[in-house]
Coordinates of all heavy atoms in Angstrom, one line a residue:
M169 N 3.1 -12.3 -22.1 CA 4.1 -12.4 -21.1 C 3.9 -11.4 -20.0 O 3.5 -10.2 -20.3 CB 5.5 -12.1 -21.7 CG 6.5 -13.0 -21.1 SD 8.1 -12.2 -21.3 CE 9.0 -13.6 -22.0
K170 N 4.1 -11.8 -18.8 CA 3.7 -10.9 -17.7 C 5.0 -10.5 -16.9 O 5.7 -11.3 -16.5 CB 2.8 -11.7 -16.8 CG 1.9 -10.7 -15.9 CD 0.9 -11.5 -15.2 CE 0.6 -10.8 -13.9 NZ -0.3 -11.4 -13.1
H171 N 5.1 -9.2 -16.7 CA 6.3 -8.8 -15.9 C 5.9 -8.8 -14.4 O 4.7 -8.9 -14.1 CB 6.8 -7.4 -16.4 CG 5.8 -6.3 -16.3 ND1 5.2 -5.9 -15.1 CD2 5.2 -5.6 -17.3 CE1 4.4 -4.9 -15.4 NE2 4.3 -4.7 -16.7
S172 N 6.9 -8.6 -13.6 CA 6.7 -8.8 -12.1 C 6.3 -7.5 -11.4 O 6.2 -7.5 -10.2 CB 7.9 -9.4 -11.5 OG 9.0 -8.5 -11.7
H173 N 6.1 -6.4 -12.2 CA 5.8 -5.2 -11.6 C 4.7 -5.2 -10.6 O 4.8 -4.7 -9.5 CB 5.6 -4.1 -12.7 CG 5.3 -2.7 -12.1 ND1 6.3 -2.0 -11.5 CD2 4.2 -2.0 -12.0 CE1 5.8 -0.9 -11.1 NE2 4.6 -0.8 -11.4
N174 N 3.6 -5.8 -11.0 CA 2.4 -5.8 -10.1 C 2.6 -6.7 -8.9 O 2.0 -6.5 -7.9 CB 1.2 -6.3 -10.9 CG 0.5 -5.1 -11.6 OD1 0.8 -3.9 -11.3 ND2 -0.4 -5.3 -12.5
A175 N 3.5 -7.7 -9.0 CA 3.8 -8.5 -7.8 C 4.5 -7.6 -6.8 O 4.2 -7.7 -5.6 CB 4.6 -9.7 -8.2
H176 N 5.4 -6.8 -7.2 CA 6.1 -5.9 -6.3 C 5.1 -4.9 -5.7 O 5.1 -4.7 -4.5 CB 7.1 -5.1 -7.1 CG 8.4 -5.7 -7.1 ND1 9.6 -5.1 -6.7 CD2 8.8 -7.0 -7.5 CE1 10.6 -6.0 -6.9 NE2 10.1 -7.1 -7.4
C177 N 4.2 -4.4 -6.5 CA 3.1 -3.5 -6.0 C 2.3 -4.2 -5.0 O 2.0 -3.6 -4.0 CB 2.3 -3.0 -7.2 SG 3.2 -1.9 -8.3
H178 N 1.9 -5.4 -5.3 CA 1.1 -6.2 -4.3 C 1.8 -6.3 -3.0 O 1.2 -6.0 -1.9 CB 0.9 -7.6 -4.9 CG -0.1 -8.4 -4.1 ND1 -0.4 -9.7 -4.5 CD2 -0.7 -8.2 -3.0 CE1 -1.3 -10.2 -3.6 NE2 -1.5 -9.3 -2.7
N179 N 3.0 -6.7 -3.0 CA 3.8 -6.8 -1.7 C 3.8 -5.4 -1.0 O 3.7 -5.3 0.2 CB 5.2 -7.3 -2.0 CG 5.2 -8.7 -2.3 OD1 4.3 -9.5 -2.0 ND2 6.3 -9.1 -3.0
T180 N 4.1 -4.4 -1.8 CA 4.2 -3.0 -1.2 C 2.9 -2.6 -0.5 O 2.9 -2.2 0.6 CB 4.6 -2.0 -2.3 OG1 5.8 -2.4 -2.9 CG2 4.7 -0.6 -1.7
L181 N 1.8 -2.9 -1.3 CA 0.5 -2.4 -0.7 C 0.2 -3.3 0.5 O -0.4 -2.8 1.5 CB -0.6 -2.6 -1.8 CG -0.4 -1.7 -3.0 CD1 -1.4 -2.0 -4.1 CD2 -0.5 -0.2 -2.6
E182 N 0.5 -4.5 0.5 CA 0.2 -5.4 1.7 C 0.9 -4.9 2.9 O 0.5 -5.1 4.0 CB 0.7 -6.8 1.4 CG -0.2 -7.6 0.5 CD -1.5 -7.9 1.1 OE1 -1.5 -8.6 2.1 OE2 -2.6 -7.4 0.5
Q183 N 2.1 -4.3 2.7 CA 2.9 -3.9 3.9 C 2.8 -2.4 4.2 O 3.3 -2.0 5.2 CB 4.4 -4.2 3.6 CG 4.6 -5.7 3.5 CD 6.0 -6.0 2.8 OE1 6.6 -5.2 2.2 NE2 6.4 -7.2 3.0
L184 N 2.0 -1.7 3.5 CA 1.9 -0.3 3.7 C 1.3 0.1 5.1 O 1.8 1.0 5.7 CB 1.0 0.4 2.6 CG 1.7 0.9 1.4 CD1 0.7 1.6 0.5 CD2 2.8 1.9 1.8
N185 N 0.3 -0.7 5.5 CA -0.3 -0.4 6.9 C 0.8 -0.5 8.0 O 0.9 0.4 8.8 CB -1.4 -1.3 7.2 CG -2.7 -0.8 6.7 OD1 -2.9 0.5 6.5 ND2 -3.7 -1.6 6.5
A186 N 1.6 -1.6 7.9 CA 2.6 -1.8 8.9 C 3.7 -0.7 8.8 O 4.2 -0.2 9.8 CB 3.2 -3.2 8.8
Y187 N 4.0 -0.3 7.5 CA 5.0 0.7 7.3 C 4.5 2.0 7.9 O 5.3 2.7 8.6 CB 5.2 0.9 5.8 CG 6.1 2.0 5.4 CD1 7.4 1.9 5.6 CD2 5.6 3.1 4.8 CE1 8.3 2.9 5.3 CE2 6.4 4.2 4.4 CZ 7.8 4.1 4.7 OH 8.6 5.1 4.3
I188 N 3.3 2.4 7.7 CA 2.8 3.7 8.2 C 2.7 3.6 9.7 O 3.0 4.6 10.4 CB 1.4 4.0 7.5 CG1 1.6 4.3 6.1 CG2 0.7 5.2 8.2 CD1 0.4 4.5 5.2
D189 N 2.4 2.5 10.2 CA 2.3 2.3 11.7 C 3.7 2.3 12.3 O 3.8 2.3 13.5 CB 1.6 1.1 12.1 CG 0.1 1.2 11.9 OD1 -0.4 2.4 11.8 OD2 -0.6 0.2 11.9
G190 N 4.8 2.2 11.5 CA 6.1 2.1 12.0 C 6.4 0.8 12.6 O 7.3 0.6 13.4
E191 N 5.7 -0.3 12.2 CA 5.9 -1.6 12.7 C 6.6 -2.5 11.8 O 6.8 -3.7 12.0 CB 4.5 -2.2 13.0 CG 3.8 -1.5 14.2 CD 2.3 -2.0 14.3 OE1 1.9 -2.7 13.4 OE2 1.7 -1.6 15.3
L192 N 7.0 -2.0 10.6 CA 7.7 -2.8 9.6 C 9.2 -2.8 9.9 O 9.8 -1.9 10.3 CB 7.4 -2.2 8.2 CG 7.6 -3.1 7.0 CD1 6.7 -4.3 7.1 CD2 7.4 -2.3 5.8
D193 N 9.7 -4.0 9.6 CA 11.2 -4.2 9.7 C 11.9 -3.1 8.9 O 11.6 -2.8 7.8 CB 11.5 -5.6 9.1 CG 12.9 -6.0 9.4 OD1 13.2 -6.6 10.5 OD2 13.8 -5.7 8.6
P194 N 13.0 -2.5 9.5 CA 13.7 -1.4 8.8 C 14.2 -1.8 7.4 O 14.2 -1.0 6.5 CB 14.9 -1.2 9.7 CG 14.4 -1.6 11.1 CD 13.5 -2.7 10.9
A195 N 14.6 -3.1 7.3 CA 15.1 -3.5 5.9 C 13.9 -3.5 4.9 O 14.1 -3.1 3.8 CB 15.6 -4.9 6.0
L196 N 12.7 -3.9 5.4 CA 11.6 -3.8 4.5 C 11.1 -2.4 4.2 O 10.7 -2.1 3.1 CB 10.4 -4.6 5.1 CG 10.6 -6.1 5.2 CD1 9.4 -6.8 5.9 CD2 10.7 -6.7 3.8
C197 N 11.3 -1.5 5.2 CA 11.0 -0.1 5.0 C 11.8 0.4 3.9 O 11.3 1.1 3.0 CB 11.3 0.7 6.3 SG 10.1 0.5 7.6
S198 N 13.1 0.1 3.9 CA 13.9 0.6 2.8 C 13.5 0.1 1.4 O 13.5 0.8 0.4 CB 15.4 0.1 3.0 OG 15.8 0.6 4.3
L199 N 13.1 -1.2 1.4 CA 12.6 -1.8 0.1 C 11.3 -1.0 -0.3 O 11.2 -0.7 -1.5 CB 12.3 -3.2 0.3 CG 13.5 -4.2 0.3 CD1 13.0 -5.6 0.6 CD2 14.3 -4.1 -0.9
L200 N 10.4 -0.8 0.6 CA 9.2 -0.1 0.3 C 9.5 1.3 -0.3 O 8.9 1.7 -1.3 CB 8.3 0.1 1.5 CG 7.4 -1.1 1.9 CD1 6.3 -0.6 2.8 CD2 6.8 -1.8 0.7
E201 N 10.4 2.0 0.4 CA 10.7 3.4 0.0 C 11.3 3.4 -1.4 O 11.0 4.2 -2.2 CB 11.6 4.0 1.1 CG 10.9 4.4 2.3 CD 11.8 4.6 3.5 OE1 13.0 4.5 3.4 OE2 11.2 4.9 4.6
E202 N 12.2 2.4 -1.6 CA 12.8 2.3 -2.9 C 11.8 2.1 -4.0 O 11.8 2.7 -5.0 CB 13.9 1.2 -2.8 CG 14.9 1.3 -3.9 CD 15.9 0.2 -3.7 OE1 16.5 0.1 -2.6 OE2 16.1 -0.6 -4.7
H203 N 10.9 1.1 -3.7 CA 9.8 0.8 -4.7 C 9.0 2.1 -5.0 O 8.7 2.4 -6.1 CB 9.0 -0.3 -4.2 CG 7.8 -0.6 -5.1 ND1 8.0 -1.5 -6.2 CD2 6.6 -0.2 -5.2 CE1 6.9 -1.5 -6.9 NE2 6.0 -0.8 -6.3
M204 N 8.6 2.8 -3.9 CA 7.7 3.9 -4.1 C 8.4 5.1 -4.8 O 7.8 5.9 -5.5 CB 7.2 4.4 -2.8 CG 6.1 3.4 -2.2 SD 5.2 4.0 -0.8 CE 6.5 4.0 0.4
E205 N 9.7 5.1 -4.7 CA 10.5 6.2 -5.5 C 10.3 5.9 -7.0 O 10.4 6.8 -7.8 CB 11.9 6.2 -5.1 CG 12.2 7.0 -3.9 CD 13.7 6.9 -3.4 OE1 14.5 6.6 -4.3 OE2 13.9 7.1 -2.3
N206 N 10.2 4.6 -7.3 CA 10.1 4.3 -8.7 C 8.7 3.9 -9.2 O 8.5 3.6 -10.4 CB 11.0 3.1 -9.0 CG 12.5 3.4 -8.7 OD1 13.0 4.3 -9.3 ND2 13.0 2.7 -7.7
C207 N 7.8 4.0 -8.3 CA 6.4 3.5 -8.7 C 5.4 4.5 -8.2 O 5.1 4.6 -7.0 CB 6.1 2.1 -8.1 SG 4.5 1.6 -8.5
E208 N 4.9 5.3 -9.1 CA 4.0 6.4 -8.8 C 2.7 5.9 -8.2 O 2.1 6.4 -7.3 CB 3.7 7.3 -10.0 CG 3.1 8.6 -9.7 CD 2.7 9.4 -10.9 OE1 3.0 9.0 -12.0 OE2 2.2 10.5 -10.7
D209 N 2.2 4.7 -8.7 CA 1.0 4.1 -8.3 C 1.1 3.9 -6.8 O 0.2 4.2 -6.0 CB 0.7 2.8 -9.0 CG 0.2 3.1 -10.4 OD1 -0.2 4.3 -10.7 OD2 0.1 2.2 -11.2
C210 N 2.1 3.2 -6.3 CA 2.2 2.8 -4.9 C 2.4 4.1 -4.1 O 2.0 4.2 -3.0 CB 3.4 1.9 -4.7 SG 3.0 0.2 -5.3
Y211 N 3.1 5.0 -4.6 CA 3.4 6.3 -3.9 C 2.1 7.0 -3.6 O 1.8 7.5 -2.5 CB 4.3 7.2 -4.6 CG 4.7 8.4 -3.9 CD1 5.5 8.3 -2.7 CD2 4.3 9.7 -4.3 CE1 5.8 9.4 -2.0 CE2 4.6 10.8 -3.5 CZ 5.4 10.7 -2.4 OH 5.7 11.8 -1.7
I212 N 1.2 7.0 -4.6 CA -0.1 7.6 -4.5 C -0.9 6.9 -3.4 O -1.6 7.5 -2.6 CB -0.9 7.7 -5.8 CG1 -0.2 8.7 -6.7 CG2 -2.3 8.0 -5.6 CD1 -0.6 8.6 -8.2
V213 N -0.9 5.6 -3.4 CA -1.7 4.8 -2.5 C -1.1 5.1 -1.1 O -1.9 5.3 -0.1 CB -1.6 3.3 -2.7 CG1 -2.2 2.5 -1.6 CG2 -2.2 3.0 -4.1
Y214 N 0.2 5.1 -1.0 CA 0.8 5.4 0.3 C 0.4 6.8 0.9 O 0.0 6.9 2.0 CB 2.4 5.4 0.1 CG 3.1 6.1 1.3 CD1 3.1 5.5 2.6 CD2 3.8 7.3 1.1 CE1 3.8 6.1 3.6 CE2 4.5 7.9 2.1 CZ 4.5 7.3 3.4 OH 5.1 7.9 4.4
N215 N 0.4 7.8 0.0 CA 0.0 9.1 0.4 C -1.5 9.1 0.9 O -1.8 9.7 1.9 CB 0.1 10.1 -0.8 CG 1.4 10.9 -0.7 OD1 1.8 11.2 0.4 ND2 1.9 11.3 -1.8
T216 N -2.3 8.5 0.1 CA -3.7 8.4 0.4 C -4.0 7.7 1.7 O -4.7 8.2 2.6 CB -4.5 7.7 -0.7 OG1 -4.1 8.3 -2.0 CG2 -6.0 7.8 -0.5
L217 N -3.3 6.6 1.9 CA -3.4 5.8 3.1 C -3.0 6.6 4.3 O -3.7 6.6 5.4 CB -2.5 4.6 3.0 CG -3.2 3.2 2.7 CD1 -2.1 2.2 2.6 CD2 -4.2 2.8 3.7
Q218 N -1.9 7.3 4.2 CA -1.3 8.0 5.3 C -2.3 9.1 5.7 O -2.5 9.3 6.9 CB 0.0 8.6 4.9 CG 0.8 9.1 6.1 CD 2.1 9.7 5.7 OE1 2.2 10.4 4.7 NE2 3.2 9.4 6.4
K219 N -2.8 9.8 4.7 CA -3.7 10.9 5.1 C -5.0 10.4 5.7 O -5.5 10.9 6.7 CB -4.1 11.7 3.8 CG -3.1 12.7 3.4 CD -3.4 13.4 2.1 CE -2.2 14.1 1.5 NZ -2.3 14.2 0.1
T220 N -5.5 9.2 5.2 CA -6.7 8.7 5.7 C -6.5 8.2 7.2 O -7.3 8.5 8.1 CB -7.1 7.4 4.9 OG1 -7.2 7.8 3.5 CG2 -8.4 6.9 5.4
I221 N -5.3 7.6 7.4 CA -5.0 7.1 8.7 C -4.8 8.2 9.7 O -5.3 8.2 10.8 CB -3.8 6.1 8.7 CG1 -4.3 4.8 8.0 CG2 -3.3 5.8 10.1 CD1 -3.2 3.9 7.7
E222 N -4.1 9.3 9.3 CA -3.9 10.4 10.1 C -5.2 11.1 10.5 O -5.4 11.5 11.6 CB -2.9 11.4 9.5 CG -1.5 10.9 9.7 CD -0.5 11.8 8.9 OE1 -0.9 12.8 8.4 OE2 0.7 11.5 8.9
L223 N -6.1 11.2 9.6 CA -7.4 11.8 9.8 C -8.1 11.0 10.9 O -8.7 11.5 11.8 CB -8.2 11.8 8.6 CG -8.0 13.0 7.6 CD1 -8.9 12.8 6.4 CD2 -8.2 14.3 8.3
C224 N -8.1 9.7 10.7 CA -8.9 8.8 11.6 C -8.2 8.7 13.0 O -8.8 8.2 14.0 CB -9.0 7.4 11.0 SG -10.0 7.4 9.5
R225 N -7.0 9.1 13.1 CA -6.2 8.9 14.3 C -6.1 10.1 15.1 O -5.3 10.2 16.0 CB -4.8 8.6 13.8 CG -4.2 7.3 14.1 CD -2.8 7.3 13.9 NE -2.2 6.1 13.6 CZ -1.0 5.9 13.0 NH1 -0.3 6.9 12.8 NH2 -0.6 4.7 12.8
S226 N -7.0 11.1 14.9 CA -6.9 12.3 15.6 C -6.9 12.2 17.1 O -6.4 13.0 17.8 CB -8.0 13.3 15.2 OG -9.2 12.6 15.2
D227 N -7.5 11.1 17.6 CA -7.5 10.8 19.0 C -6.3 10.0 19.5 O -6.2 9.6 20.6 CB -8.8 10.2 19.4 CG -9.0 8.8 18.8 OD1 -8.2 8.5 17.8 OD2 -9.8 8.1 19.1
G228 N -5.4 9.7 18.6 CA -4.1 9.0 18.9 C -4.2 7.5 18.9 O -3.2 6.8 19.2
E229 N -5.4 7.0 18.6 CA -5.5 5.5 18.6 C -5.1 5.0 17.2 O -5.3 5.6 16.2 CB -7.0 5.1 18.9 CG -7.3 5.1 20.3 CD -8.7 4.7 20.6 OE1 -9.2 3.8 19.8 OE2 -9.3 5.2 21.5
K230 N -4.6 3.8 17.2 CA -4.3 3.1 16.0 C -5.5 2.6 15.3 O -6.4 1.9 16.0 CB -3.3 1.9 16.3 CG -1.9 2.4 16.5 CD -1.0 1.2 16.4 CE 0.5 1.8 16.6 NZ 1.4 0.7 16.5
I231 N -5.6 2.7 14.0 CA -6.7 2.2 13.3 C -6.2 1.5 12.1 O -5.1 1.8 11.6 CB -7.8 3.2 12.9 CG1 -7.1 4.3 12.0 CG2 -8.4 3.8 14.1 CD1 -7.5 4.2 10.6
S232 N -7.0 0.6 11.5 CA -6.6 0.0 10.2 C -7.5 0.6 9.2 O -8.7 0.9 9.5 CB -6.8 -1.5 10.3 OG -5.9 -2.1 11.2
L233 N -7.0 0.7 8.0 CA -7.8 1.2 6.9 C -9.0 0.2 6.7 O -8.7 -1.0 6.6 CB -7.0 1.3 5.7 CG -7.7 2.0 4.5 CD1 -7.9 3.5 4.8 CD2 -6.9 1.8 3.2
P234 N -10.2 0.7 6.6 CA -11.3 -0.2 6.4 C -11.1 -1.0 5.1 O -10.6 -0.4 4.1 CB -12.5 0.7 6.3 CG -12.1 2.0 6.9 CD -10.6 2.1 6.8
Q235 N -11.5 -2.2 5.1 CA -11.3 -3.1 4.0 C -11.9 -2.5 2.7 O -11.3 -2.6 1.6 CB -12.0 -4.5 4.3 CG -11.7 -5.6 3.3 CD -10.2 -6.0 3.3 OE1 -9.5 -5.7 4.3 NE2 -9.8 -6.6 2.2
D236 N -13.0 -1.9 2.9 CA -13.7 -1.3 1.8 C -12.9 -0.2 1.1 O -12.7 -0.2 -0.1 CB -15.0 -0.6 2.3 CG -15.8 0.1 1.2 OD1 -16.1 -0.6 0.2 OD2 -16.1 1.3 1.4
A237 N -12.3 0.7 1.9 CA -11.5 1.7 1.3 C -10.3 1.2 0.6 O -9.8 1.6 -0.4 CB -11.0 2.7 2.4
R238 N -9.7 0.1 1.2 CA -8.6 -0.6 0.6 C -8.9 -1.1 -0.7 O -8.1 -1.0 -1.7 CB -8.2 -1.7 1.6 CG -6.7 -1.9 1.7 CD -6.5 -3.0 2.7 NE -5.5 -3.9 2.2 CZ -4.4 -4.3 2.9 NH1 -4.3 -3.9 4.1 NH2 -3.6 -5.1 2.3
Q239 N -10.0 -1.8 -0.8 CA -10.4 -2.4 -2.1 C -10.6 -1.3 -3.1 O -10.3 -1.5 -4.3 CB -11.7 -3.3 -1.9 CG -11.3 -4.6 -1.4 CD -12.5 -5.4 -0.9 OE1 -13.6 -4.9 -0.9 NE2 -12.3 -6.7 -0.5
R240 N -11.2 -0.2 -2.7 CA -11.4 0.9 -3.7 C -10.0 1.4 -4.2 O -9.9 1.8 -5.4 CB -12.2 2.0 -3.1 CG -13.7 1.8 -3.3 CD -14.5 2.9 -2.9 NE -14.6 3.0 -1.4 CZ -14.5 4.1 -0.7 NH1 -14.4 5.2 -1.3 NH2 -14.6 4.0 0.6
L241 N -9.1 1.5 -3.3 CA -7.7 1.9 -3.8 C -7.2 0.9 -4.8 O -6.6 1.3 -5.8 CB -6.8 2.0 -2.6 CG -7.0 3.2 -1.7 CD1 -6.1 3.1 -0.4 CD2 -6.6 4.5 -2.5
Y242 N -7.3 -0.3 -4.4 CA -6.8 -1.4 -5.3 C -7.5 -1.3 -6.7 O -6.8 -1.3 -7.7 CB -7.1 -2.8 -4.8 CG -6.0 -3.3 -3.8 CD1 -5.7 -2.5 -2.7 CD2 -5.4 -4.5 -3.9 CE1 -4.8 -2.9 -1.7 CE2 -4.5 -4.9 -3.0 CZ -4.2 -4.2 -1.9 OH -3.3 -4.6 -1.0
A243 N -8.8 -1.1 -6.6 CA -9.5 -1.0 -7.9 C -9.1 0.2 -8.7 O -9.0 0.1 -9.9 CB -11.0 -1.0 -7.6
A244 N -8.9 1.3 -8.0 CA -8.5 2.5 -8.7 C -7.2 2.3 -9.4 O -7.0 3.0 -10.4 CB -8.4 3.7 -7.6
L245 N -6.4 1.5 -8.9 CA -5.1 1.2 -9.5 C -5.1 0.1 -10.5 O -4.1 -0.3 -11.0 CB -4.0 0.9 -8.4 CG -3.7 2.1 -7.5 CD1 -2.8 1.7 -6.4 CD2 -3.0 3.2 -8.4
K246 N -6.3 -0.5 -10.6 CA -6.5 -1.6 -11.5 C -5.6 -2.8 -11.2 O -5.1 -3.5 -12.0 CB -6.3 -1.2 -13.0 CG -7.2 -0.1 -13.5 CD -7.0 0.1 -15.0 CE -8.1 1.0 -15.6 NZ -8.3 2.3 -14.9
L247 N -5.4 -3.0 -9.9 CA -4.6 -4.1 -9.4 C -5.4 -5.2 -9.0 O -5.0 -6.3 -8.7 CB -3.7 -3.6 -8.2 CG -2.6 -2.7 -8.5 CD1 -1.9 -2.2 -7.2 CD2 -1.6 -3.4 -9.4
E248 N -6.7 -5.0 -8.9 CA -7.6 -6.0 -8.3 C -7.6 -7.3 -9.1 O -7.5 -8.4 -8.5 CB -9.0 -5.5 -8.3 CG -9.9 -6.2 -7.3 CD -11.2 -5.4 -7.2 OE1 -11.8 -4.9 -8.2 OE2 -11.7 -5.3 -6.0
D249 N -7.5 -7.3 -10.4 CA -7.5 -8.5 -11.2 C -6.3 -9.3 -10.8 O -6.4 -10.5 -10.7 CB -7.5 -8.2 -12.7 CG -8.9 -7.7 -13.1 OD1 -9.8 -7.9 -12.4 OD2 -9.0 -7.2 -14.2
D250 N -5.2 -8.7 -10.7 CA -3.9 -9.4 -10.4 C -4.0 -10.0 -9.0 O -3.6 -11.1 -8.8 CB -2.8 -8.4 -10.4 CG -2.1 -8.4 -11.8 OD1 -2.8 -8.0 -12.7 OD2 -0.9 -8.7 -11.8
L251 N -4.5 -9.2 -8.1 CA -4.6 -9.7 -6.7 C -5.5 -11.0 -6.6 O -5.2 -12.0 -6.0 CB -5.1 -8.7 -5.8 CG -4.2 -7.4 -5.6 CD1 -4.8 -6.4 -4.7 CD2 -2.9 -7.9 -5.1
T252 N -6.6 -10.9 -7.4 CA -7.6 -12.0 -7.3 C -7.0 -13.2 -7.9 O -7.1 -14.3 -7.4 CB -8.8 -11.6 -8.1 OG1 -9.3 -10.3 -7.6 CG2 -9.9 -12.6 -8.0
S253 N -6.2 -13.0 -9.1 CA -5.7 -14.2 -9.8 C -4.6 -14.9 -9.0 O -4.3 -16.0 -9.2 CB -5.2 -13.8 -11.1 OG -4.1 -12.9 -11.0
E254 N -4.0 -14.1 -8.1 CA -2.9 -14.7 -7.3 C -3.4 -15.5 -6.1 O -2.6 -16.3 -5.5 CB -2.0 -13.6 -6.8 CG -1.0 -13.1 -7.8 CD -0.2 -12.0 -7.3 OE1 -0.1 -11.8 -6.1 OE2 0.3 -11.2 -8.1
E255 N -4.7 -15.4 -5.8 CA -5.2 -16.1 -4.6 C -5.9 -17.3 -4.9 O -6.0 -17.8 -6.0 CB -6.0 -15.1 -3.8 CG -5.2 -14.2 -3.0 CD -6.0 -13.0 -2.4 OE1 -7.2 -13.0 -2.5 OE2 -5.4 -12.1 -1.8
Ligands
ZN193 ZN1 4.2 -0.3 -7.2

């Protein structure tokens, strides 16, 4: 039997870029923040993403996290199998 925890994580991770860019709907921001308060995995990804993006943004331009780095984060959290099976 499979619980829905990873589905929540999947949604959270999908929206993290927009969240960090401040482009996410305020209602969704609240949901993300709530999830991250209860999910250490997502919180760690959020922290890592934010630091990475801030480092790359030193010139003030918006960047997206490279796909490669993203996949490594997913793999580090062992979410990759779930993501793959959902697609
Ligand atoms: Zn999570």
Side-chain angles (χ1 to χ4, degrees):
M169 215 206 235
K170 203 175 151 180
H171 59 65
S172 62
H173 181 68
N174 274 345
H176 272 234
C177 291
H178 186 180
N179 289 337
T180 300
L181 295 173
E182 284 293 299
Q183 292 166 344
L184 268 183
N185 270 339
Y187 175 70
I188 290 171
D189 281 345
E191 291 170 352
L192 199 62
D193 189 89
L196 290 175
C197 286
S198 302
L199 285 178
L200 279 198
E201 284 162 2
E202 202 178 301
H203 178 83
M204 287 189 292
E205 276 176 24
N206 298 299
C207 181
E208 195 182 358
D209 284 349
C210 286
Y211 185 68
I212 289 169
V213 175
Y214 164 67
N215 260 331
T216 309
L217 259 179
Q218 194 181 41
K219 278 177 196 155
T220 306
I221 288 172
E222 276 174 8
L223 279 178
C224 297
R225 244 193 206 165
S226 49
D227 60 348
E229 278 183 34
K230 281 193 176 179
I231 59 106
S232 294
L233 188 70
Q235 191 66 21
D236 177 56
R238 218 177 134 130
Q239 278 169 354
R240 270 185 288 140
L241 283 173
Y242 276 55
L245 292 173
K246 299 186 168 56
L247 288 174
E248 201 169 39
D249 286 348
D250 269 59
L251 294 180
T252 306
S253 66
E254 279 175 22
E255 280 167 6

